[in-house]
Amino acid sequence: MDRALAILQSFEEGDAALPLVEIARRAGLHLTTALRLLGTLESHGFVQRGAAGGYALGPQLLALGERFRRSLRLEDQVMPALDRLRSESRESAAFFVREGEQRRCLFRQESPQPVRTVAQVGDVAPLGIGAYGRALVALEAEPRPRLPIVSHGERLPEVVAIAAPVLNGRGAVAGAIGITMPRYRFDPAAEARCLPLVLREAAALTRALGGDPSPILALA
């Protein structure tokens, strides 16, 4: 099993078909062993042999990837991230999704502090306004903004929000994750503490959804 996985992992981004010798070299296998394992993988659709004799990844991997994507329950991935944000920032944490030209609060965890921002799961707000609304379209903007986005009273005068986009396995924006707090608590110490937390959880949630966080991290 380990050697078969080594063969699959020998294919790198941009590879089309690889010759047997190169696959064996990358996987650290003898030619005869690599050939035998490739035959097994080919019979199950995990690799396919080209007309020129090289090997490429097979369609069964795409099918498995699609099953993985469908098996992901967004709540199972998002709620632990919100729990971490709330615990470490001691502020309210939320996850918004885009609905046309609006955004909707899909999940939320309330701050443990007695003075906190108030919002409800299911609340709808305009897209492109506030940290969450701007985070949902950040990768479409020209020029692209720094991440995470911080908004000072854009929607509600006494509220500061910090948010960053989250990507799915297709590279599309799955939502925006972040925290909100009363404006009086947003001082330099809170900024230094909370911005890295939001960026970290946006990247971690992107990975959990099968996505690549590099477009997010490149804007930090």
Side-chain angles (χ1 to χ4, degrees):
M1 175 66 74
D2 288 345
R3 292 181 297 180
L5 290 174
I7 286 179
L8 294 176
Q9 291 170 342
S10 69
F11 289 87
E12 300 173 354
E13 186 172 355
D15 287 337
L18 295 175
L20 171 62
V21 172
E22 180 62 14
I23 293 173
R25 185 190 69 79
R26 292 186 185 184
L29 299 172
H30 292 297
L31 283 175
T32 53
T33 302
L35 182 61
R36 176 175 56 82
L37 290 171
L38 282 165
T40 301
L41 291 168
E42 184 182 9
S43 68
H44 291 282
F46 292 105
V47 300
Q48 54 189 1
R49 193 168 188 179
Y55 292 88
L57 295 175
Q60 185 62 23
L61 291 170
L62 183 62
L64 287 176
E66 182 63 17
R67 288 177 206 165
F68 168 74
R69 186 189 66 78
R70 290 198 303 266
S71 72
L72 285 175
R73 291 189 65 236
L74 191 59
E75 182 177 3
D76 293 343
Q77 308 299 327
V78 172
M79 292 307 291
L82 296 184
D83 285 339
R84 289 190 295 270
L85 279 178
R86 177 181 61 175
S87 175
E88 295 182 47
S89 71
R90 293 185 55 78
E91 303 294 350
S92 298
F95 183 84
F96 279 77
V97 295
R98 180 174 182 171
E99 293 183 355
E101 295 305 308
Q102 295 181 314
R103 57 184 169 99
R104 184 180 299 275
C105 181
L106 207 58
F107 306 106
R108 182 176 169 88
Q109 293 283 40
E110 298 294 343
S111 167
Q113 303 193 65
V115 178
R116 56 181 180 262
T117 59
V118 177
Q120 300 291 329
V121 170
D123 283 354
V124 174
L127 193 67
I129 301 175
Y132 290 97
R134 290 198 279 134
L136 286 168
V137 295
L139 300 184
E140 304 172 14
E142 287 296 341
R144 290 181 174 181
R146 290 283 303 275
L147 295 177
I149 291 172
V150 182
S151 64
H152 299 260
E154 286 186 22
R155 287 192 58 248
L156 302 173
E158 300 305 320
V159 173
V160 167
I162 307 166
V166 172
L167 307 181
N168 61 26
R170 300 187 301 276
V173 175
I177 191 170
I179 56 179
T180 57
M181 68 183 73
R183 198 167 187 172
Y184 78 89
R185 280 208 296 263
F186 188 73
D187 56 18
E191 182 177 14
R193 180 178 69 255
C194 294
L195 267 65
L197 292 179
V198 171
L199 187 66
R200 181 195 73 191
E201 292 303 326
L205 186 52
T206 293
R207 293 188 188 97
L209 296 177
D212 176 9
S214 58
I216 299 169
L217 297 175
L219 296 175

